[in-house]
Amino acid sequence: MGKPKEKLNTLKFKEKLIAVGKSLREQGLIVGGEGNLSLKLPDGNLLVTPARACKGKLDASMLLILDPKGYVLEGNLQPSSELLLHLHIYNQRKDVGGIVHAHPPFATGFSCAGMSFQTPILAEGMIMLGTVPNVPFAMPGSIELVEALSPYLLENDCFLLSNHGVLTVGADIETALMRMELLEQYAKILLITYVLGRQNPIPAKYLEPLKELNKETRFLKAPEESIPLPKAPRVLLYELFEELLRRYLKK
């Protein structure tokens, strides 16, 4: 007989989801019962937030564990009303480990105004967010919303849901949260350029390198505190330093 499979300890994952909910509320990216969160567990099941509950005031007993088809394995509350959307994303995007849906005021304002996020004015935005499409309106929680998002799903990680809010995905829940935060920051900066009446886009020659950086990093997980950030190889640092000297000596 084979060794019985050890049951997954889900507490640390529940604590992650609770922490993300608190962060969203503290930053004003959700209020009341807005938004929904989920993450993929190591065993392939999903940890999701309940419907209508304040996501900034969750405790472990309120969270639900579902199998990949949406059947409740653990929990007594009603799963998120956007469960169908979450299930579809995990089914179509095997690289996704976390999903955040929220109503950040500035980014949601752009979604309600039907305005584009495509102006290249912030390098970090291009690297971390990539393209941010405007998804046509469909009723929340409906199969029509899934259909509306589907054409944009494979190539993008951030979505403005028209007249609804914002959805971000990532290799883990921390990355999805970071994208939500940066998207709202980008919306604020973009709005300021409209108020000032002018924009200074990134020069065209830098757009492709920034897009390449997005391709290289979009599937990475957020670095954990115990894992050092990757360092540039010594050869690369040496070459960069030599190039710097050459440019300096030319002046």
Side-chain angles (χ1 to χ4, degrees):
M1 290 180 64
K3 188 178 179 181
K5 195 172 182 180
E6 193 173 322
K7 187 177 180 182
L8 176 69
N9 186 347
T10 59
L11 181 58
K12 70 175 182 178
F13 299 101
K14 290 178 179 179
E15 289 173 346
K16 278 187 179 186
L17 212 61
I18 290 167
V20 170
K22 285 182 178 177
S23 179
L24 289 168
R25 187 168 185 263
E26 288 169 359
Q27 295 182 76
L29 304 180
I30 55 171
V31 297
E34 286 182 340
N36 37 79
L37 314 168
S38 69
L39 63 80
K40 186 187 293 182
L41 295 166
D43 61 6
N45 291 325
L46 308 176
L47 185 66
V48 304
T49 52
R52 297 183 298 280
C54 176
K55 309 312 179 292
K57 296 181 178 181
L58 296 170
D59 63 53
S61 67
M62 300 170 71
L63 302 177
L64 300 100
I65 296 178
L66 313 178
D67 73 8
K69 293 184 178 180
Y71 291 100
V72 177
L73 303 176
E74 180 183 313
N76 299 313
L77 299 178
Q78 184 75 19
S80 166
S81 59
E82 296 290 4
L83 179 58
L84 185 62
L85 189 61
H86 287 243
L87 293 174
H88 178 69
I89 292 170
Y90 287 120
N91 182 58
Q92 296 297 309
R93 291 277 303 270
K94 303 306 181 185
D95 60 285
V96 170
I99 300 172
V100 174
H101 170 51
H103 297 172
F106 289 88
T108 301
F110 274 84
S111 86
C112 292
M115 295 180 67
S116 172
F117 254 49
Q118 304 314 315
T119 308
I121 61 167
L122 187 67
E124 289 80 359
M126 292 192 67
I127 296 168
M128 189 67 180
L129 304 178
T131 304
V132 184
N134 291 64
V135 178
F137 178 78
M139 284 295 291
S142 68
I143 192 170
E144 288 77 18
L145 179 57
V146 173
E147 291 173 337
L149 181 74
S150 289
Y152 308 97
L153 181 56
L154 297 183
E155 301 300 325
N156 303 284
D157 302 307
C158 307
F159 311 88
L160 295 184
L161 307 179
S162 295
N163 306 98
H164 186 173
V166 177
L167 186 138
T168 57
V169 304
D172 50 27
I173 193 69
E174 293 88 351
T175 301
L177 172 63
M178 284 195 294
R179 285 184 170 133
M180 183 64 69
E181 294 170 339
L182 183 56
L183 193 73
E184 179 69 347
Q185 179 78 345
Y186 189 86
K188 293 176 185 177
I189 294 168
L190 195 56
L191 181 61
I192 289 170
T193 67
Y194 287 123
V195 172
L196 293 175
R198 66 185 300 270
Q199 293 176 327
N200 182 32
I202 295 170
K205 68 178 182 178
Y206 297 111
L207 297 184
E208 280 305 316
L210 288 170
K211 289 177 183 177
E212 285 303 313
L213 283 172
N214 170 256
K215 290 179 183 177
E216 292 172 13
T217 60
R218 65 181 292 227
F219 301 121
L220 297 179
K221 291 186 176 182
E224 298 178 11
E225 289 183 11
S226 59
I227 301 176
L229 290 170
K231 297 178 180 179
R234 285 186 177 275
V235 174
L236 177 59
L237 286 174
Y238 180 77
E239 290 175 351
L240 289 172
F241 183 65
E242 288 288 303
E243 176 63 19
L244 181 63
L245 283 177
R246 282 195 292 272
R247 293 186 184 191
Y248 178 77
L249 292 173
K250 283 181 180 179
K251 293 183 179 180

